[in-house]
Amino acid sequence: MSSGDLSGGMKCLKYLLFLFNLIFWIAGVGLIGVGIWVLVDTGTYNVLKLAEVNTLMLYLGGYVLIGAGMVTMIVGFLGCFGAVKENTCLLGTFFICLLLLLCLEIGIGIYSAVQRDQFYGVIEKAMDGLSKTNYGDRDQASRSVIDFVQKNLECCGMNSTSNWNPKPASCACTKTVSYCSASGNSTTTNWSRPCDVQVRMFLMDSAVIIIGVACGIGAILVLGMILSCCIIRSKGGSSDVV
């Protein structure tokens, strides 16, 4: 192969890696965005607070995502600089960083998958415990959280719609849907589904967003590793051309 062909191939790889790092930076911004969303989303916080689950892990997860996003952007800059300078040492470091990030992501994914059922079990157990105390016997802070969950998830009661007697205003339907019904001789329609299943579905939907972002970043990490290896190999091959 001629040196001109190698030079052209190297330029192509450099441009591809530069494009990759642009996507990588965007992924880093996406991680930071998801982390901020986790920290400021009142829905997730109130659901966990209602279930009496320690919200410290929620905030810790948010800060970890923000930190991972910043590291991702720094690693992306390292790869871009290494490609522009055609520095095999920087590109090798870039490859190792991507490999470590990929291993970390896989490890977190495996841990989350293993602990998922246990986490949902804790939520359901807490919801069952909450159903034993009537709405009217709770303090204002607890009632506010319950009202927020029932209004936003369109449900009434913890594990049964008959948990509250009388039913609070947050149980009243705000729109006409199939899971709305009148209780007894009352003309007021209430949500006819309990909140335990809705809480679980809400948490699962939130997890899907995080999993989707993680899968996209994982694919980007693999692509970056392939491109950096190609440039290192191409650089080594070009040095053998007389």
Side-chain angles (χ1 to χ4, degrees):
M1 185 181 294
S2 66
S3 60
D5 292 337
L6 284 172
S7 178
M10 179 66 78
K11 287 182 178 179
C12 181
L13 287 173
K14 284 169 61 177
Y15 289 137
L16 284 175
L17 190 56
F18 184 82
L19 178 62
F20 160 80
N21 280 289
L22 177 61
I23 299 173
F24 203 56
W25 282 328
I26 295 173
V29 173
L31 271 177
I32 294 173
V34 172
I36 294 174
W37 171 71
V38 168
L39 292 177
V40 303
D41 180 48
T42 55
T44 305
Y45 173 81
N46 282 322
V47 165
L48 294 180
K49 187 176 180 181
L50 175 63
E52 297 180 351
V53 175
N54 190 354
T55 55
L56 178 62
M57 294 303 295
L58 176 68
Y59 288 118
L60 181 60
Y63 287 121
V64 167
L65 287 172
I66 293 174
M70 291 180 176
V71 171
T72 298
M73 296 181 72
I74 293 172
V75 172
F77 174 78
L78 181 68
C80 185
F81 189 75
V84 171
K85 295 297 183 180
E86 298 182 12
N87 188 306
T88 54
C89 181
L90 285 176
L91 289 173
T93 304
F94 175 67
F95 175 87
I96 292 173
C97 288
L98 292 184
L99 180 60
L100 291 175
L101 286 173
L102 183 62
C103 291
L104 178 63
E105 183 177 351
I106 292 173
I108 293 174
I110 293 174
Y111 176 79
S112 300
V114 171
Q115 296 294 322
R116 179 187 58 186
D117 291 338
Q118 182 178 351
F119 174 74
Y120 288 139
V122 171
I123 296 293
E124 291 175 1
K125 186 176 180 180
M127 298 289 283
D128 290 339
L130 288 169
S131 66
K132 297 176 181 178
T133 304
N134 192 39
Y135 176 89
D137 297 331
R138 296 180 176 277
D139 56 45
Q140 183 58 45
S142 297
R143 292 201 297 266
S144 296
V145 174
I146 291 173
D147 289 341
F148 178 89
V149 171
Q150 292 186 155
K151 287 179 180 178
N152 286 273
L153 299 185
E154 299 178 351
C155 55
C156 181
M158 296 295 95
N159 57 8
S160 171
T161 54
S162 60
N163 286 151
W164 315 139
N165 186 26
K167 287 181 170 57
S170 56
C171 280
C173 295
T174 55
K175 59 184 177 181
T176 303
V177 288
S178 59
Y179 47 89
C180 235
S181 62
S183 54
N185 297 324
S186 175
T187 57
T188 302
T189 55
N190 297 309
W191 305 119
S192 58
R193 58 185 186 181
C195 291
D196 53 354
V197 176
Q198 301 310 311
V199 165
R200 184 185 179 101
M201 291 179 62
F202 172 80
L203 293 173
M204 290 177 67
D205 290 342
S206 299
V208 167
I209 296 174
I210 297 175
I211 291 171
V213 173
C215 289
I217 292 175
I220 293 171
L221 289 173
V222 173
L223 177 61
M225 291 167 63
I226 293 173
L227 287 174
S228 60
C229 282
C230 289
I231 293 180
I232 292 172
R233 185 176 179 182
S234 180
K235 182 68 176 177
S238 63
S239 63
D240 295 334
V241 177
V242 181

